[in-house]
Amino acid sequence: MQLEPLRMNIKDDSALMNPNSKFLSLKAQIPGTIEDHLHIYKYNNSIACEMKDIMKSHKMPEKVVFWKWITPKMLGMVTQTSVYHWSYEDDSEPVKMFEKTGNLSNNQIIDYKCDPSQKCLVLIGISPGSPERPELPKGNVQLFLVEEQQSETLEAHAASFDSSDVPGNEIQIYFATTSCNAGKVTLKLHVFSHKGKLSFSRDLFCPSEDDFPVAMQIFDERAKEISGK
């Protein structure tokens, strides 16, 4: 069966397709302000997005610098100062989860994730590298523990969560780090419990001295895949 592409004439600055359902989120800066206007639409295969299709709408007081669907029902949104969650299930407005720490100031945000229970949140950014190797960006991470309302910072380029095959379903946090020492680049994978206990650490193959990880995905079969720049 040949599939027909769905074409939409969209004038907004950014659009995100929901990974599981026919929901489309749109973002546009309000002219003359630093505010962003956000919409969540429900669409079908025969009509473009119209006002009658808007499920939710909200004006953010700050510009959203990064956003993604962190779950099939939840948008994660990062501004210059804070991180918010916005669900399409009810009439609620975006909920502020935490404020960004200083290590992410003036960073380019490249990823934001939560574990399945949404008890652990991780925000990842990159900033200019050291004078020794400026082409290798510095990776900065903020780990936020929701129940403890506590942030931890560290240097890493990619992160993910897993709780499979762990006693008590304790959350394991995976970090991929890249460091440069005396001109030599080292790529490592570290695994911690969310309580801070190191489970293991190992070297990873780095195909290029100018390469660095930008994403990490943990599959159900517990295989780890790290994609490079």
Side-chain angles (χ1 to χ4, degrees):
M1 181 179 66
Q2 186 175 2
L3 298 178
E4 287 291 330
L6 175 61
R7 293 180 173 88
M8 298 179 181
N9 184 18
I10 297 174
K11 298 181 180 180
D12 294 74
D13 302 328
S14 178
L16 291 176
M17 303 293 293
N18 186 287
N20 288 57
S21 306
K22 292 184 177 181
F23 293 102
L24 175 68
S25 53
L26 300 176
K27 175 173 69 71
Q29 187 171 358
I30 301 173
T33 74
I34 60 171
E35 299 177 353
D36 272 337
H37 203 176
L38 311 176
H39 300 287
I40 298 178
Y41 289 86
K42 185 175 183 180
Y43 67 93
N44 56 44
N45 292 333
S46 60
I47 61 173
C49 294
E50 299 176 355
M51 287 298 296
K52 63 185 177 64
D53 304 311
I54 296 178
M55 292 189 61
K56 300 189 72 169
S57 181
H58 183 74
K59 291 183 180 179
M60 290 291 291
E62 295 182 84
K63 182 176 178 59
V64 176
V65 298
F66 181 87
W67 66 332
K68 66 180 287 189
W69 289 98
I70 55 173
T71 75
K73 299 179 180 180
M74 185 82 69
L75 277 167
M77 303 180 297
V78 185
T79 70
Q80 294 287 0
T81 61
S82 305
V83 175
Y84 296 81
H85 287 181
W86 194 28
S87 171
Y88 74 60
E89 284 194 302
D90 50 39
D91 295 330
S92 62
E93 296 183 350
V95 177
K96 182 177 175 180
M97 301 304 296
F98 60 90
E99 294 183 355
K100 291 162 63 177
T101 47
N103 68 323
L104 288 168
S105 298
N106 301 317
N107 275 229
Q108 176 187 348
I109 302 301
I110 61 172
D111 205 0
Y112 175 61
K113 291 183 176 182
C114 67
D115 78 290
S117 68
Q118 299 182 36
K119 294 180 180 179
C120 292
L121 315 173
V122 65
L123 182 63
I124 306 167
I126 54 175
S127 59
S130 65
E132 180 184 10
R133 190 175 287 274
E135 66 275 14
L136 182 63
K138 179 183 177 183
N140 300 296
V141 168
Q142 178 181 359
L143 174 66
F144 185 75
L145 306 178
V146 176
E147 292 184 343
E148 292 85 351
Q149 289 292 295
Q150 176 182 342
S151 284
E152 298 181 18
T153 62
L154 67 153
E155 294 185 11
H157 287 88
S160 195
F161 300 102
D162 186 25
S163 60
S164 59
D165 201 28
V166 179
N169 292 323
E170 184 178 4
I171 301 167
Q172 300 271 47
I173 306 167
Y174 292 73
F175 295 108
T177 64
T178 306
S179 59
C180 181
N181 187 13
K184 182 179 179 181
V185 176
T186 302
L187 177 61
K188 285 183 175 289
L189 175 67
H190 308 276
V191 182
F192 292 84
S193 72
H194 83 283
K195 298 178 181 178
K197 181 179 179 182
L198 177 65
S199 298
F200 72 85
S201 178
R202 65 179 58 172
D203 291 340
L204 297 173
F205 171 69
C206 187
S208 168
E209 289 194 351
D210 295 334
D211 201 12
F212 60 94
V214 296
M216 181 188 298
Q217 182 66 44
I218 298 178
F219 297 97
D220 289 341
E221 61 270 25
R222 305 181 186 92
K224 280 62 179 182
E225 177 183 296
I226 298 178
S227 58
K229 173 180 64 175

